[in-house]
Amino acid sequence: VAHNNSHAAAAAVAREPELPAFFEFGLDRPDDELLGQGWHGAEDGRWTKSPALLFLPVVADAGPMRLVIDGRPFLAEGRDTASMTLSIDGTQVAQWAATFGEPLPVFEVMIPSAAAADGLLELQIEAPAIVPSYHSQSLDKRKIGFLVRSISITAADDPNVE
């Protein structure tokens, strides 16, 4: 079960920030302690209940950064479109939409220097949560929104990032 917000924020603050940074979530993954409220239990990643909070340590004076989420919304023939919004420190910074049977969008956003000034990013992921068994052959009766497997953060001008 995911931790509460104050525990997750404290865990993030206690970490030495790195750039580039890579965070993995799910079964036997080291970064679940950074998850605040709004998450289901660990599997191959973590599903949001929506909205879901997480706290990431970042290098405070690194300049603009690029954040990429490896994840996906729940899509099936009975639920052929889904959207997701991302907020940083309470301000919506991106919105994406996905369609069943089509390639997923790249869940990427630029983080301005000011957002990372205190060395901590509070991310909120919001995706309409649905019950898979109502929309597919799945037996899953949880309300799920968006699956997050990992998040990477790099310098905005990192030449090793496509």
Side-chain angles (χ1 to χ4, degrees), residues 59-113:
V59 177
D61 57 356
M65 293 176 275
R66 174 183 289 112
L67 181 144
V68 178
I69 300 171
D70 174 18
R72 65 178 176 82
F74 176 79
L75 293 169
E77 286 188 28
R79 204 257 180 128
D80 58 356
T81 60
S83 63
M84 187 268 266
T85 59
L86 177 69
S87 298
I88 296 177
D89 297 332
T91 301
Q92 183 177 320
V93 295
Q95 181 170 355
W96 297 278
T99 302
F100 180 69
E102 294 183 11
L104 288 174
V106 176
F107 302 105
E108 175 182 80
V109 66
M110 297 306 287
I111 303 167
S113 304

Side-chain angles (χ1 to χ4, degrees), residues 34-157:
L34 303 175
L35 301 174
Q37 65 189 24
W39 297 90
H40 284 290
E43 48 190 278
D44 179 27
R46 288 283 194 130
W47 284 102
T48 64
K49 297 177 185 179
S50 198
L53 293 174
L54 65 151
F55 300 84
L56 302 179
V58 292
V59 177
D61 57 356
M65 293 176 275
R66 174 183 289 112
L67 181 144
V68 178
I69 300 171
D70 174 18
R72 65 178 176 82
F74 176 79
L75 293 169
E77 286 188 28
R79 204 257 180 128
D80 58 356
T81 60
S83 63
M84 187 268 266
T85 59
L86 177 69
S87 298
I88 296 177
D89 297 332
T91 301
Q92 183 177 320
V93 295
Q95 181 170 355
W96 297 278
T99 302
F100 180 69
E102 294 183 11
L104 288 174
V106 176
F107 302 105
E108 175 182 80
V109 66
M110 297 306 287
I111 303 167
S113 304
D118 65 355
L120 180 68
L121 290 180
E122 178 184 315
L123 303 181
Q124 179 175 300
I125 296 173
E126 199 156 354
I130 61 119
V131 178
S133 63
Y134 295 174
H135 300 275
S136 69
Q137 300 297 316
S138 172
L139 300 177
D140 193 340
K141 297 197 182 315
R142 300 173 299 165
K143 280 188 154 187
I144 61 174
F146 191 86
L147 177 71
V148 177
R149 290 188 189 95
S150 66
I151 295 176
S152 63
I153 299 176
T154 57
D157 58 359

